[in-house]
Amino acid sequence: LLEQGVEPEAIAALTFTNKAADEMRERLAKLVGKKQAERLVLGTFHSLGSWMMREDPQGFDVPKRFQILDQGDVYGVVRNLLRELGYHGPATKRRFDLGAIVQRISLWKNEFLTAEQVGKQVDEGPSTDYDEVASVLYEPYEDRLRSLAAVDFDDLVCRVAGRLHDIPEVRERWRARFRYLLVDEYQDTNTAQFQLLLALLGPQRNLCVVGDDDQAIYG
């Protein structure tokens, strides 16, 4: 693409780990030079989402200075909410596994399910105690993130994909920015990542993906 005269800034190359992205950038620097390689957007879906949010916070409904919560921070928020809502502590005689609750909220976010939709699903059953507790915590969790001017790791993809889908002017602005999308380890994409790609694809449909059929076990 670069040899054909495509500007590096018009290319977004995505993979799934920071280590893989660093290796790709090193190899690319040897092929096209360090300056050209640094002008590309080359990273993970999450690093792309973070970069887009910081470039256009208003478009993605985040404060100019927002923080990204790591797993430990997220566990801390969930632990506090469990305590505040009476699910955690000596009186309850039960300790919920934080990871199981966080995982459920993460899965719902990546399927673009709202707290109301999740609550309805859980009410209609079948569901477990963990489903019920996580569904109760989902909305307070999102409220707590807003009050902290923070996003979690899932928001870096889900919120960006959602805004691109819902706000045409934001979508068109970013489609004009990225005219070529390349994705490595494509078999690992989830719903939110797939929707992000769809939203970024302009009418030219310049998408190239590499995947491994043998690893696509959840297809």
Side-chain angles (χ1 to χ4, degrees):
L1 287 171
L2 293 172
E3 285 173 356
Q4 291 175 38
V6 176
E7 288 294 310
E9 290 85 358
I11 302 170
L14 304 172
T15 187
F16 277 81
T17 66
N18 290 321
K19 181 182 177 183
D22 290 341
E23 288 177 359
M24 288 167 68
R25 192 179 297 283
E26 285 175 17
R27 293 177 189 176
L28 198 60
K30 293 175 183 176
L31 290 171
V32 302
K34 191 176 179 182
K35 284 187 179 179
Q36 286 275 76
E38 286 177 347
R39 289 170 62 194
L40 284 158
V41 172
L42 197 164
T44 64
F45 278 93
H46 295 93
S47 67
L48 173 68
S50 171
W51 182 79
M52 290 172 70
M53 279 184 171
R54 296 195 189 282
E55 286 283 308
D56 184 19
Q58 188 174 355
F60 295 113
D61 194 28
V62 291
K64 280 189 177 180
R65 294 185 179 179
F66 65 90
Q67 59 175 325
I68 301 169
L69 302 187
D70 62 20
Q71 189 178 53
D73 297 325
V74 168
Y75 276 34
V77 170
V78 170
R79 185 185 295 110
N80 289 337
L81 288 172
L82 281 169
R83 196 173 292 123
E84 290 169 22
L85 295 171
Y87 288 107
H88 214 56
T92 64
K93 297 182 180 179
R94 175 166 186 181
R95 299 186 69 84
F96 284 94
D97 178 68
L98 298 177
I101 293 173
V102 169
Q103 184 184 43
R104 280 166 172 76
I105 293 174
S106 174
L107 287 170
W108 293 331
K109 276 196 178 192
N110 280 282
E111 292 293 331
F112 298 103
L113 294 172
T114 64
E116 185 179 353
Q117 289 169 324
V118 167
K120 189 175 179 182
Q121 280 187 8
V122 170
D123 287 343
E124 291 173 352
S127 61
T128 66
D129 288 351
Y130 273 96
D131 294 329
E132 292 173 12
V133 172
S135 71
V136 171
L137 258 65
Y138 191 180
E139 192 167 352
Y141 171 79
E142 293 287 83
D143 289 340
R144 186 61 52 87
L145 261 56
R146 277 189 286 272
S147 70
L148 293 170
V151 297
D152 63 21
F153 214 51
D154 294 310
D155 286 328
L156 298 177
V157 175
C158 300
R159 188 175 296 203
V160 171
R163 296 291 283 185
L164 289 174
H165 182 270
D166 295 339
I167 315 292
E169 57 268 29
V170 175
R171 181 171 66 247
E172 294 309 313
R173 186 160 65 246
W174 284 100
R175 281 184 173 183
R177 173 70 167 77
F178 296 127
R179 293 187 294 112
Y180 295 88
L181 302 174
L182 299 92
V183 185
D184 186 32
E185 301 290 356
Y186 184 70
Q187 75 279 352
D188 291 336
T189 50
N190 63 19
T191 299
Q193 290 157 348
F194 178 64
Q195 290 300 324
L196 175 58
L197 288 174
L198 281 183
L200 282 174
L201 275 179
Q204 300 90 356
R205 296 294 198 200
N206 291 326
L207 172 66
C208 175
V209 304
V210 179
D212 182 350
D213 287 345
D214 293 333
Q215 291 184 45
I217 60 173
Y218 301 114

